[in-house]
Amino acid sequence: MAPAHPVSPGPDPAHSWSAASGGRPVVSFAEPDVSGGRRRLRVGPRTVAAAACLVLGLGLIGGAATGSWLTGDGGADGTGNSFGTARTLWHSVPVDELFPPTVQGTGAGPGGADRTWTRIAVAPDSGCAHAFDPLLYKALAPVGCRRLLRATYTDATQSYVTTVGLLFTEADPASMSALAARFRAEHLDSRADLMPRPYAAAGTAAAAFGDRQRASWTISVLTDAPVVAYAVSGWADGRTVDAPQPAADAVRSGATTDPAQAGLGNEAQGLADRVQRRLRKTVGTATEKPS
């Protein structure tokens, strides 16, 4: 039997996200004002030698510190470096690196069944305006929005569609940790009024994937990168969903809701997990220092 929806070819593998808008601010340091002292002191040879050693020592220490700042080393764990690298990945990494044309989900389906997802649409990189429901937009506002990347996939049978998103924020590690703590404490990732919006594309299996078709979703506020990752799934036939269910609940044993029985929680959770793994791997590769 021919598939219900034709799978449209993915974008050119060589395609990359557009260049960043605007550069980083440049901070310069003024030289301290050391003029004004008129009193002259006699300095002996030993004092001169001691002062020279002190200046040399301070210069070596200062040089090492300056080198650390310039190379982006934020500490022994490299957190500052990886955060800075991750923040710019959206415009320097090809589409296929973050959202592969095909994703293998070994054991990702209900009962440990394998899944294979095919990418059918990639959204142009954008800001966050109109990309989220108002309440979710408000909840994410404290970390800012640098860029949003999205792609939509379908399963091997073209029965389900899932949009995966990576929101690159403006936040530092402390702000990301604070937002993650709030999401956990207030269970914001399980509220149906904070569901991410899908990305539909004409001529694909996701053409009818709108807000009312959302069935299951997951949201993760990362603390090791300035990124909020999410996925939202639904049926490819455009049916509406009256009671969407968070993926964490839909994948539990014994769940009997329609999204759970269809495996739509597995679709959202499985794809989100694998895209996050790829993101972390890409960040790790980008921050590796040559031996």
Side-chain angles (χ1 to χ4, degrees):
M1 176 186 288
H5 299 273
V7 177
S8 61
D12 185 350
H15 172 63
S16 297
W17 308 105
S18 58
S21 57
R24 296 183 180 178
V26 178
V27 180
S28 61
F29 296 92
E31 295 185 3
D33 181 7
V34 294
S35 63
R38 295 185 177 179
R39 188 175 178 182
R40 306 181 74 178
L41 299 176
R42 270 189 194 174
V43 181
R46 291 184 180 178
T47 305
V48 172
C53 291
L54 177 61
V55 170
L56 177 59
L58 290 174
L60 291 174
I61 295 172
T66 301
S68 174
W69 297 332
L70 291 177
T71 56
D73 293 338
D77 62 357
T79 301
N81 191 24
S82 63
F83 245 70
T85 299
R87 198 186 311 280
T88 61
L89 282 179
W90 68 268
H91 67 81
S92 59
V93 174
V95 174
D96 290 353
E97 188 73 21
L98 296 177
F99 299 130
T102 302
V103 176
Q104 298 298 331
T106 304
D114 294 341
R115 280 286 190 265
T116 299
W117 296 288
T118 300
R119 190 184 69 202
I120 56 175
V122 176
D125 64 274
S126 68
C128 293
H130 312 299
F132 299 109
D133 284 349
L135 283 179
L136 180 56
Y137 185 89
K138 182 178 180 180
L140 296 173
V143 294
C145 173
R146 173 167 291 224
R147 219 63 180 169
L148 178 63
L149 309 183
R150 293 169 293 169
T152 298
Y153 289 79
T154 187
D155 69 308
T157 66
Q158 296 191 57
S159 299
Y160 314 118
V161 284
T162 303
T163 292
V164 189
L166 294 173
L167 164 59
F168 289 78
T169 76
E170 301 281 2
D172 58 14
S175 297
M176 293 301 296
S177 294
L179 184 65
R182 185 189 172 202
F183 263 70
R184 287 193 302 270
E186 300 179 25
H187 306 289
L188 300 185
D189 55 349
S190 61
R191 284 177 44 173
D193 57 350
L194 294 174
M195 271 193 299
R197 282 179 173 166
Y199 175 69
T204 73
F209 190 21
D211 289 351
R212 296 190 62 195
Q213 284 69 40
R214 293 176 289 185
S216 190
W217 77 98
T218 181
I219 304 175
S220 298
V221 180
L222 307 189
T223 56
D224 55 348
V227 175
V228 177
Y230 67 85
V232 56
S233 61
W235 280 274
D237 61 8
R239 75 183 73 175
T240 59
V241 180
D242 295 327
Q245 186 176 32
D249 295 337
V251 300
R252 287 176 182 164
S253 176
T256 59
T257 63
D258 288 343
Q261 291 293 302
L264 285 165
N266 299 82
E267 297 291 307
Q269 191 68 63
L271 262 172
D273 287 348
R274 281 152 184 80
V275 168
Q276 286 181 56
R277 290 176 201 169
R278 292 189 68 89
L279 173 67
R280 288 188 168 101
K281 181 179 179 181
T282 303
V283 172
T285 301
T287 54
E288 283 179 357
K289 296 179 180 178
S291 57

